[in-house]
Amino acid sequence: MSTIFLATWDQPGGIAIREAYRQHQAGLDILTCIERGLAVAELDPDLIAIGLGSVPNSDGDIELDAAMMDGKTLDAGAVCAVRGICPVISVARKVMEDSPCVMIAGEQARRFAIEKGFLPIVTHTADSIQRHQEWADSKEKVTNYVHVTSDPSGQLHGDTITMLALQDGHLVAASSTSGMPFKVPGRVGDSPIVGAGIYADNEAGAAGATGYGEELWKAAASSKTVEAMRHGASAQDACNQTIDFMIRRQPKATDIPCVVFAISPTGDFGAASTKEDFPLWSCVDGVFKLHHYSFRRA
Ligand code: ASP
């Protein structure tokens, strides 16, 4: 049976999925493949929505979120609002495998990471400091996501990497993000929340989300999508159902793109968005493809 990896967004996803496949070729299990794919992206200072050098919160601090779920056991681990540690996806995996918890937050997540052997590091770069300075100096400074993410350069658009993987009926989901640009300090979005940003169950499917975290969380978007597959929907139909529900029930779901994508235990996959077309990488047995999913119209 095929081994399939999926990753969100063109540039950051492309880097993560190539690394995941490289690890797969080296014979590693799919949990480790997507952990390492996300870790490489986190450590790349040019990717501004994940890990080192990412867009800070409104105080100028970088606070990172990550999560991982194993569809075989429903085991999950997550960290949120972590400062000064990278890659946080590896800390999330430690929470899953080496703690009794599902999520550890903030300063205590950093303490947990250090106890497990991670080294504290400076996650800022000259660019991330400058980006915050420019935002703080701008006349239009607001912490309103709609405004910030509508930046005409498109540069500050959420570029969270969420990944799904399937091998021989085994499903895994994971995500890593710095959250919304210039977010309220301490704010946590959907990405590290099991059921919102990721979900995986070998019996039903796996799903992930990216975009407007508050709205995706309110919809329990990943869990909802997996449950639709459990009730017989294809991955694409399940994504359409979740996004149509959000458009119908959540007035703010079309202010900023909300995206879900999914894969079934037999390998069909799909994606849907509330606004703007969405690029998704797939790697099916080493064949890479960037798909473009049109957004669903209200
Ligand atoms: N979902 C992320 C968050 O709300 C942002 C993103 O996907 O770009 O934190």
Side-chain angles (χ1 to χ4, degrees):
M1 206 178 161
S2 302
T3 298
I4 302 177
F5 296 100
L6 303 175
T8 55
W9 306 112
D10 184 353
Q11 189 210 14
I15 288 170
I17 202 167
R18 281 191 167 72
E19 180 63 22
Y21 182 64
R22 206 180 355 258
Q23 299 295 338
H24 172 65
Q25 281 182 305
L28 295 171
D29 62 280
I30 54 170
L31 267 173
T32 306
C33 292
I34 63 174
E35 179 198 342
R36 299 221 179 143
L38 289 169
V40 160
E42 281 192 45
L43 293 166
D44 183 336
D46 292 335
L47 303 181
I48 66 167
I50 164 171
L52 282 187
S54 50
V55 183
N57 66 17
S58 61
D59 280 349
D61 293 316
I62 292 177
E63 294 185 330
L64 302 175
D65 305 328
M68 175 170 265
M69 184 168 191
D70 185 344
K72 194 190 290 179
T73 53
L74 307 195
D75 283 342
V79 289
C80 64
V82 188
R83 297 183 187 184
I85 295 283
C86 190
V88 284
I89 187 60
S90 300
V91 186
R93 184 166 183 187
K94 277 269 179 241
V95 171
M96 177 169 83
E97 293 179 344
D98 205 4
S99 91
C101 313
V102 169
M103 176 178 268
I104 305 181
E107 183 51 31
Q108 303 309 325
R110 178 181 151 90
R111 194 172 112 195
F112 170 83
I114 292 168
E115 275 167 18
K116 297 294 176 191
F118 290 76
L119 293 176
I121 55 165
V122 175
T123 48
H124 265 300
T125 58
D127 283 350
S128 65
I129 293 169
Q130 189 187 342
R131 216 170 275 126
H132 179 261
Q133 197 56 53
E134 282 168 7
W135 175 79
D137 290 346
S138 75
K139 274 203 223 83
E140 298 185 327
K141 185 182 72 162
V142 283
T143 50
N144 175 333
Y145 302 147
V146 179
H147 181 86
V148 173
T149 56
S150 298
D151 184 291
S153 70
Q155 277 235 311
L156 296 181
H157 205 285
D159 271 348
T160 293
I161 310 183
T162 308
M163 295 189 75
L164 305 177
L166 169 69
Q167 183 177 39
D168 297 330
H170 180 200
L171 288 159
V172 174
S175 66
S176 179
T177 190
S178 53
M180 292 303 232
F182 312 117
K183 63 192 177 184
V184 172
R187 175 268 186 190
V188 176
D190 62 307
S191 303
I193 306 300
V194 172
I198 58 164
Y199 202 78
D201 178 353
N202 285 2
E203 289 188 358
T210 180
Y212 194 176
E214 281 69 11
E215 295 304 311
L216 290 158
W217 192 346
K218 290 178 203 170
S222 293
S223 169
K224 193 181 246 73
T225 306
V226 169
E227 292 313 301
M229 290 191 282
R230 194 189 305 281
H231 290 102
S234 67
Q236 183 61 58
D237 283 348
C239 292
N240 292 350
Q241 283 177 32
T242 298
I243 292 302
D244 290 351
F245 170 90
M246 292 180 72
I247 291 172
R248 184 171 61 80
R249 292 285 290 114
Q250 297 173 233
K252 292 183 230 155
T254 49
D255 288 353
I256 298 176
C258 294
V259 173
V260 287
F261 67 113
I263 185 166
S264 78
T266 51
D268 67 283
F269 61 88
S273 158
T274 58
K275 182 185 186 179
E276 295 177 14
D277 296 351
F278 167 66
L280 177 74
W281 277 106
S282 68
C283 169
V284 180
D285 292 332
V287 179
F288 292 88
K289 186 170 175 194
L290 185 62
H291 307 257
H292 289 276
Y293 290 88
S294 304
F295 68 94
R296 312 274 298 168
R297 277 153 222 280

